[in-house]
Amino acid sequence: MKKQSAINQILSEWDPLAIGDHQIAEDEYQTYIPGIIKNIDNKENLISYLENILVNKLEVGYEPNNEIHKRELLAIVDKIINVK
């Protein structure tokens, strides 16, 4: 449970939907935590999983080939991987 809480904290601070309210953000991103945990041991799979969420579920204008977008995502991935 501690791992889930830590990941949820990272996601709510990242807040790709720009919700702004920390408590609402914590609720918003919880559904993605099981998939993140499933992919946490493989960085490339985790990147792909999060990119899929950003592009197909949240539709936030994430571009995988955009260097800034990719760098921001990699920073989040590294934070998540450090949770385990």
Side-chain angles (χ1 to χ4, degrees):
M1 192 63 160
K2 187 174 180 179
K3 183 187 289 190
Q4 290 177 330
S5 179
I7 292 170
N8 197 28
Q9 179 73 26
I10 292 167
L11 295 177
S12 65
E13 288 174 3
W14 176 33
D15 193 14
L17 286 173
I19 293 169
D21 184 311
H22 184 71
Q23 204 156 14
I24 293 172
E26 283 183 349
D27 290 340
E28 182 67 33
Y29 305 119
Q30 281 183 3
T31 59
Y32 305 116
I33 294 173
I36 289 170
I37 290 172
K38 179 181 176 187
N39 291 289
I40 202 167
D41 291 324
N42 184 310
K43 187 172 184 174
E44 293 305 314
N45 287 352
L46 182 56
I47 291 167
S48 294
Y49 178 75
L50 291 174
E51 284 181 335
N52 181 51
I53 290 169
L54 292 170
V55 172
N56 298 312
K57 297 192 185 303
L58 301 180
E59 299 176 349
V60 293
Y62 175 84
E63 294 287 333
N65 297 323
N66 180 307
E67 189 176 314
I68 295 169
H69 291 179
K70 191 69 158 194
R71 189 171 39 239
E72 290 173 356
L73 179 65
L74 290 175
I76 296 303
V77 166
D78 288 340
K79 284 183 181 182
I80 291 170
I81 288 173
N82 286 328
V83 166
K84 66 175 191 165

